[in-house]
Amino acid sequence: MKLTITSMSIAGLMVLAFNSYASEAVPKEVRIAYGGSSQVLVLAKVDGSLGKALNTKVKWVQFATGADALGYFASDAIDIANFGSNPAVAGIVRKLPIEIFGIAGVIATSERLIAKDDIKTLKDIEGKRVAYPPNSTAQYALDAAILVNNIDRSKVKLIPLRPSEMV
């Protein structure tokens, strides 16, 4: 039930934002970008509810990182995107044509360190290679975990990679 309420909330926010421009003509198409991770926005893609609510065609564009979404905004390839706080701040600072109109959810419990079987505790990452998406909340969470768990940072090889490159 919570998932449905959340997806309806996101769709509602998008409809409200879209309708705030109601004095303008309804565009023939709205281009919405979504990330590769599991997110409730994808439900609106699957069931077509967002297009029905907006009363226009929706073109869905997938992106790998928030930085990619910013590039799409900068080149006027998308109209709406759902991405993290770091790219949002970067986009605003760079004066890209973006406006934040809602927050999809709290990510405090959504990021995880995924490790091979021989890593049982965070301390076990010493002497290992750890990939992370740079300039992301995942990077900040990893930095905090290293600090809080007194892990010797010089003994961990940190590798900045895009999510699709980590596998």
Side-chain angles (χ1 to χ4, degrees):
M1 186 62 145
K2 184 176 181 182
L3 189 60
T4 304
I5 292 169
T6 305
S7 65
M8 289 170 36
S9 298
I10 289 173
L13 282 172
M14 288 185 164
V15 169
L16 285 174
F18 188 77
N19 286 338
S20 69
Y21 300 101
S23 61
E24 299 176 24
V26 175
K28 292 181 182 177
E29 178 180 79
V30 176
R31 302 157 303 169
I32 300 177
Y34 66 99
S37 65
S38 173
Q39 51 183 274
V40 296
L41 182 59
V42 177
L43 293 174
K45 177 183 185 293
V46 171
D47 70 8
S49 60
L50 193 54
K52 291 173 192 164
L54 297 175
N55 197 29
T56 193
K57 180 182 175 191
V58 174
K59 177 182 178 185
W60 294 92
V61 179
Q62 189 170 12
F63 61 87
T65 68
D68 295 336
L70 291 179
Y72 292 152
F73 275 123
S75 65
D76 194 33
I78 60 172
D79 302 302
I80 299 172
N82 181 18
F83 53 82
S85 55
N86 291 336
V89 170
I92 291 168
V93 167
R94 292 182 177 97
K95 301 195 185 313
L96 291 177
I98 63 174
E99 181 179 338
I100 297 171
F101 63 85
I103 297 174
V106 177
I107 63 166
T109 60
S110 65
E111 293 174 344
R112 299 284 186 263
L113 180 63
I114 301 170
K116 293 183 177 179
D117 290 340
D118 62 328
I119 298 176
K120 305 292 184 204
T121 69
L122 278 171
K123 196 78 168 157
D124 294 339
I125 68 171
E126 287 184 352
K128 305 288 188 204
R129 295 171 295 155
V130 178
Y132 66 92
N135 303 312
S136 68
T137 53
Q139 176 187 357
Y140 303 140
L142 176 61
D143 289 341
I146 288 170
L147 182 66
V148 167
N149 289 279
N150 297 315
I151 295 169
D152 185 346
R153 189 179 203 83
S154 69
K155 294 181 180 176
V156 181
K157 182 170 182 170
L158 298 172
I159 305 170
L161 293 174
R162 296 165 56 99
S164 60
E165 297 168 336
M166 287 184 195
V167 175

